[in-house]
Amino acid sequence: MTRWTCWTLTTLLWCLLSGSVLADGRPAPLIDAHSHYTASHAREMTASDLIARLDAAGVSRVVITGAPWQLARDLHTHAPDRVIPLLGAYASDADKATWMHDRELPARLATLAAEGRWAGIGELHLFARDAGNEVYAELVRLAHRHHLMLLIHGDEAVVDRAFEIAPDLRVLWAHLGTEPKPEIVARVLQRHAGRALWIDTSVRDDRIAPRGQLLPEWRQLFEAHPDRFVVAVDAFSTRRWQRYGEVTRQIRQWVGGLPPELQERLLWRNAEDLFEPWLKGRP
Ligand SMILES: [Zn+2]
C-alpha cells in the first residue's frame, strides 16, 4: 500500500518509545479521520507538501474537508489513494457560525454531491439550540440520499436529530463530542446502539491521555465499544499542520498502551469500516 517507513531517526525513536509500532520497527498504520485544507493552509503548503507530511508521520490516508470545497477535490485528484475527500459546506472558516442561515446552501451542495466523488459532507458546526434548524435537516437528507457520511461538530442533540431524520445515516461525531466526558459519550452510544455512529478523538489527546497515559475511564469506554472510535489530527490551522508529526506521535503514544487489536481498530480499522462504502466503490 503505502510507505510505513520511519523517515527520520527522531520518528523512529518516537515509534519505539510510543508502543504503537510493528514488530519490524515501522510505525503502525494510521488513518487521520478528520483534517482540513483551507485557502490559508494552501498558501503555505502545496498538495505535495501535505502528502510529504503524511509520509513523514506514517499516515496512510487522511480525511480532508476543504474550505472552499475545491481544495479537497484538488487534493483528492493529486493523491487519490491517500485522500478521502469530504464535501465542505464552508467557503472559509467564517461560515462556521452562519451556514445554518444560508437557505441556498443545500441546493449548492446537492449539485456537487451528485458528482459522486465525495465520501461525506462536513464538518458541520452546530449546537443544541440550533438542532432543529431546517438547513441542517436538508443537509442530513442530502447526505443520506447520496450515501454520504456526515461529520458533525456539535452537541449530542445534533447527533440525535440526524438519526431522527435518517436512522441509517453514517455519522462521524467529532472530538468525543462538545462535552468530552466518558459518561456522555457512553450515553449517546447506548441511545444509538446498532446505528452507524463513529466518534473521533481529535484534539482531545491531552485531555484523555495526560502525558501520553490514557485515563482508565476512557480506556474502559474504548474497550466497551471497540468498533466505534477513530483517531484523528484535525489539522485545522497551518500551525497544526506544522505540528502534524508531533500530534500523530502523541496519538500513537496513548493508543500504544491498549491491547494490539484495539490499537489497530482505533488507528485505522474502524476508519476503514466507516468509509467502507466509499473505499469499495470510489471513483
Ligand atoms: Zn475539524
Side-chain angles (χ1 to χ4, degrees):
M1 200 154 82
T2 43
R3 288 160 284 177
W4 300 120
T5 321
C6 285
W7 291 93
T8 64
L9 266 180
T10 326
T11 312
L12 177 62
L13 190 65
W14 258 105
C15 294
L16 291 171
L17 289 175
S18 67
S20 158
V21 61
L22 301 175
D24 59 3
R26 293 175 300 157
L30 195 158
I31 296 177
D32 171 3
H34 168 176
S35 269
H36 299 258
Y37 194 46
T38 69
S40 67
H41 306 165
R43 276 193 291 277
E44 304 283 329
M45 190 177 55
T46 64
S48 303
D49 295 338
L50 187 148
I51 299 302
R53 280 180 203 280
L54 303 187
D55 287 341
V59 169
S60 58
R61 293 182 194 274
V62 63
V63 177
I64 286 279
T65 175
W69 62 268
Q70 289 92 335
L71 289 168
R73 175 199 63 191
D74 295 349
L75 211 54
H76 175 241
T77 303
H78 176 84
D81 294 335
R82 308 295 294 279
V83 175
I84 299 177
L86 302 188
L87 175 54
Y90 309 159
S92 77
D93 281 349
D95 291 341
K96 259 186 207 177
T98 55
W99 65 271
M100 69 294 286
H101 307 301
D102 177 0
R103 303 290 312 182
E104 315 290 314
L105 181 64
R108 284 202 309 277
L109 294 188
T111 307
L112 296 165
E115 263 184 30
R117 165 191 299 267
W118 309 102
I121 295 178
E123 182 181 17
L124 296 179
H125 295 73
L126 198 69
F127 301 95
R129 64 178 179 277
D130 287 321
N133 174 271
E134 188 46 35
V135 172
Y136 174 58
E138 285 185 49
L139 295 189
V140 169
R141 287 190 280 268
L142 176 68
H144 184 246
R145 202 158 58 239
H146 289 275
H147 309 288
L148 298 173
M149 172 283 263
L150 193 64
L151 172 55
I152 297 173
H153 174 134
D155 300 325
E156 54 180 309
V158 176
V159 173
D160 293 346
R161 179 69 184 135
F163 286 128
E164 204 177 283
I165 297 167
D168 58 346
L169 184 72
R170 300 172 89 79
V171 170
L172 176 57
W173 191 23
H175 318 308
L176 296 169
T178 46
E179 236 188 306
K181 293 190 177 144
E183 61 274 22
I184 295 180
V185 179
R187 184 171 74 203
V188 174
L189 279 170
Q190 194 174 20
R191 195 154 64 234
H192 299 297
R195 296 226 167 99
L197 171 63
W198 283 264
I199 300 169
D200 85 50
T201 62
S202 63
V203 303
R204 303 302 192 196
D205 307 289
D206 285 329
R207 184 179 183 124
I208 65 173
R211 293 171 304 283
Q213 296 303 310
L214 187 62
L215 295 170
E217 58 269 34
W218 288 103
R219 184 185 174 112
Q220 218 170 46
L221 183 71
F222 298 157
E223 286 181 342
H225 303 276
D227 53 357
R228 296 294 100 197
F229 295 93
V230 297
V231 299
V233 173
D234 188 14
F236 55 85
S237 66
T238 306
R239 168 93 182 107
R240 197 149 170 95
W241 272 113
Q242 285 162 353
R243 294 184 51 228
Y244 197 82
E246 192 187 317
V247 177
T248 52
R249 285 192 291 274
Q250 188 182 11
I251 291 169
R252 288 182 195 284
Q253 190 180 13
W254 68 256
V255 172
L258 294 167
E261 200 182 316
L262 187 53
Q263 287 188 33
E264 236 182 59
R265 289 210 146 275
L266 286 166
L267 288 174
W268 61 276
R269 208 178 277 284
N270 290 345
E272 282 204 344
D273 290 347
L274 163 59
F275 290 102
E276 191 190 20
W278 185 85
L279 288 167
K280 273 192 175 157
R282 78 197 165 100

